Amino acid sequence: MLQVNGINVFYGNIQALHDVSIHVEEGEIVTLIGANGAGKSTLLKTLSGLLKPKTGEIMYLGKPIHGKAAQTIVKDGMSHVPEGRRVFANLTVEENLELGAYIRSDKAGIAKDMAHVYELFPRLLERKKQLSGTLSGGEQQMLAMGRALMAKPKILLMDEPSMGLAPLMVKAIFDIIKMVNAEGTTVLLVEQNAHMALSVASRAYVLETGRIVLSGDAQQLKESDEVRAAYLGGL
């Protein structure tokens, strides 16, 4: 579904990604783990068209997208849940969800998907007329996910969904990631909570200072001494 071949990405003169290659098959949950500053968010921003690679290629559904604008990539079926949630604080929950569907014109389909988002996140239904800036961090994360789902994506890019959340809320968010995937949406997950990420993913990549240093079956990486020592607190 998604094939990234040797991309190099720069911020000015500083190279953030070095010859990064990954692939994601349809229906998978693939996770990218790594320390802060490893380049995980940069990779997602490059995939969704917010940054352009200097060299290398990004193939999505068999076609190159590395020169495309971000809004075109959304139309192609790729949605990005950004780090830090980035909800529109001065708009209501419902207005945020409506904005997620801005590329669509099928009113009946939008209404159906809105109802489904409220099924996935009952708390959003309770707060649909509330300004999203007044929601808790966990509720804002639910809203950011719901907003991305309103674009009816084939693949969902998720950047640090557990950041700053209480353990119970983290579990709830990851349960929903599994549910969304079971309903047919492919997921590429960037996550600092390596234990949670590796427990839901089928495959994983480890990114260090802009380079892929390890990749493979998520369960095998979870049991690897190197990954345990670096990312799982020696568990």
Side-chain angles (χ1 to χ4, degrees):
M1 188 178 208
L2 182 65
Q3 180 81 45
V4 179
N5 298 319
I7 62 168
N8 291 282
V9 178
F10 289 77
Y11 290 107
N13 294 324
I14 298 163
Q15 189 163 1
L17 295 178
H18 302 259
D19 288 320
V20 167
S21 296
I22 69 165
H23 72 278
V24 181
E25 302 295 336
E26 190 170 348
E28 283 192 305
I29 298 180
V30 173
T31 189
L32 286 160
I33 60 172
N36 238 339
K40 305 185 303 296
S41 295
T42 298
L43 178 52
L44 289 197
K45 285 177 185 170
T46 307
L47 295 178
S48 61
L50 298 171
L51 295 171
K52 300 281 182 258
K54 193 163 189 181
T55 55
E57 64 173 10
I58 302 165
M59 305 295 288
Y60 170 60
L61 299 174
K63 293 176 183 170
I65 60 166
H66 42 277
K68 284 190 171 184
Q71 61 268 33
T72 309
I73 292 172
V74 174
K75 285 178 184 169
D76 290 341
M78 187 184 290
S79 281
H80 188 163
V81 183
E83 182 181 6
R85 304 181 267 272
R86 307 293 289 273
V87 298
F88 298 100
N90 58 342
L91 298 179
T92 66
V93 166
E94 194 160 55
E95 287 166 338
N96 269 267
L97 294 177
E98 284 167 354
L99 273 173
Y102 82 100
I103 57 166
R104 299 171 60 184
S105 53
D106 55 323
K107 285 189 176 171
I110 292 169
K112 186 181 171 193
D113 288 341
M114 180 93 72
H116 185 52
V117 166
Y118 286 142
E119 272 174 41
L120 284 173
F121 305 103
R123 209 172 295 191
L124 295 184
L125 179 59
E126 293 165 18
R127 290 160 171 65
K128 70 178 186 176
K129 297 300 181 191
Q130 196 169 316
L131 290 182
S132 58
T134 64
L135 301 178
S136 71
E139 289 162 353
Q140 288 190 9
Q141 184 61 55
M142 290 174 177
L143 180 55
M145 286 170 70
R147 182 180 60 190
L149 290 172
M150 288 301 295
K152 223 173 172 52
K154 297 181 181 83
I155 183 167
L156 196 58
L157 312 182
M158 300 202 62
D159 198 350
E160 302 286 8
S162 79
M163 187 186 276
L165 302 185
L168 267 178
M169 185 58 82
V170 171
K171 185 186 180 307
I173 294 290
F174 273 84
D175 284 346
I176 289 162
I177 292 170
K178 286 191 285 186
M179 210 181 299
V180 165
N181 177 249
E183 289 175 354
T185 306
T186 304
V187 178
L188 178 59
L189 171 68
V190 156
E191 182 53 72
Q192 267 189 299
N193 184 334
H195 184 75
M196 287 297 285
L198 293 171
S199 66
V200 299
S202 49
R203 289 187 306 106
Y205 293 90
V206 179
L207 205 55
E208 275 180 17
T209 57
R211 292 176 172 84
I212 300 285
V213 293
L214 279 173
S215 67
D217 176 83
Q219 196 53 42
Q220 286 174 345
L221 285 182
K222 201 174 175 182
E223 289 161 9
S224 127
D225 290 342
E226 201 177 333
V227 171
R228 282 183 177 201
Y231 302 106
L232 299 173
L235 294 172

